């Protein structure tokens, strides 16, 4: 997806010199790069990095840590990443070590942004949230509060049929749509805080 090549240990030789290789072993957490939601987020990130480089970013519902690692490896900046599932956070920490980036992620275990590392009003330039439609709607105000003016949120984990529902929640809280990416039955929304 864009410059990011997600692979298993059996495909290390497929990574070319200009690829951003992210090795993700099969694990108990969500996010191997093959799902339409993860691929959509990686494509959205690729487009965003052509426009600007976020200084402070967070991955809410990080799963394997794939999105946070993709950003950290390309910006050389630590990314805050959390999940409600402690096993997922352990998997993300393991994946950071596998990818020779053991200090790239600032991990936490908590629902949404309910942690001191995440609950930082106006701090983040970029928020990833690749979870499910209803939790995305429930997090819309918290995400708005965490973002700087003109900060971006990359939302996924929603079906195309849920796009209007999620988009409406964010529009009502002062966001505008920058782009949408459709992969199979899935949608990724890129929205800016205005």
């Amino acid at each position: 997806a864009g410059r990011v090549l997600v692979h298993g240990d059996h495909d290390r030789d497929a990574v070319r010199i200009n690829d951003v290789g992210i090795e993700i072993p099969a694990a108990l957490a969500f996010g191997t790069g093959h799902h339409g939601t993860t691929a959509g987020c990686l494509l959205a990130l690729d487009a965003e990095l052509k426009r600007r480089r976020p200084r402070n970013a967070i991955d809410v519902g990080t799963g394997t840590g794939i999105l946070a690692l993709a950003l950290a490896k390309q910006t050389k900046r630590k990314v805050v990443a959390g999940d409600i599932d402690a096993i997922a956070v352990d998997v993300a920490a393991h994946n950071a070590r596998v990818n020779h980036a053991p200090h790239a992620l600032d991990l936490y275990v908590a629902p949404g942004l309910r942690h001191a590392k995440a609950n930082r009003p106006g701090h983040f330039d970029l928020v990833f949230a690749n979870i499910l439609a209803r939790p995305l709607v429930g997090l819309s105000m918290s995400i708005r509060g965490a973002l700087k003016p003109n900060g971006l949120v990359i939302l996924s984990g929603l079906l195309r049929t849920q796009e209007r529902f999620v988009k409406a929640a964010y529009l009502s809280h002062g966001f505008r749509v920058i782009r949408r990416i459709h992969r199979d039955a899935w949608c990724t929304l890129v929205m800016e805080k205005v």
Side-chain angles (χ1 to χ4, degrees):
R3 290 191 57 217
V4 176
L5 176 64
V6 181
H7 62 90
D9 60 357
H10 58 284
D11 281 328
R12 286 182 188 139
D13 294 339
V15 180
R16 298 170 306 212
I17 191 81
N18 289 329
D19 290 335
V20 177
I22 305 285
E23 184 175 318
I24 302 292
L28 298 174
F30 179 81
T32 63
H34 296 96
H35 196 272
T37 60
T38 310
C41 288
L42 290 170
L43 289 170
L45 174 61
D46 190 58
E48 179 55 23
L49 291 176
K50 291 174 183 169
R51 293 179 53 226
R52 60 182 168 178
R53 298 269 177 187
R55 295 180 54 78
N56 299 302
I58 185 169
D59 183 7
V60 179
T62 197
T64 62
I66 186 172
L67 301 176
L69 282 168
L71 179 59
K73 286 185 85 167
Q74 291 180 81
T75 62
K76 309 293 187 240
R77 298 189 68 84
K78 187 174 276 201
V79 176
V80 175
D83 204 290
I84 195 168
D85 182 357
I87 293 171
V89 171
D90 289 343
V91 168
H94 172 76
N95 289 338
R97 291 188 300 275
V98 165
N99 283 279
H100 311 291
H103 305 293
L105 307 182
D106 190 5
L107 295 162
Y108 69 90
V109 178
L113 296 158
R114 292 190 217 152
H115 191 278
K117 293 178 182 183
N119 187 9
R120 302 175 70 185
H123 179 73
F124 297 103
D125 306 295
L126 175 66
V127 174
F128 283 114
N130 182 11
I131 44 181
L132 296 170
R134 289 210 180 275
L136 288 174
V137 168
L139 286 169
S140 59
M141 281 297 292
S142 297
I143 288 173
R144 177 173 175 71
L147 278 170
K148 291 180 178 179
N150 302 110
L152 285 188
V153 61
I154 299 175
L155 303 169
S156 202
L158 58 141
L159 294 163
R160 287 188 193 195
T161 57
Q162 298 167 320
E163 177 181 348
R164 289 175 62 186
F165 168 63
V166 173
K167 183 172 67 173
Y170 283 79
L171 291 174
S172 73
H173 293 305
F175 285 85
R176 71 181 180 100
V177 176
I178 300 295
R179 78 181 51 84
R180 64 179 57 83
I181 298 168
H182 291 154
R183 302 270 306 197
D184 304 318
W186 301 96
C187 176
T188 300
L189 290 170
V190 180
M191 303 187 82
E192 182 180 43
K193 177 180 174 179
V194 292

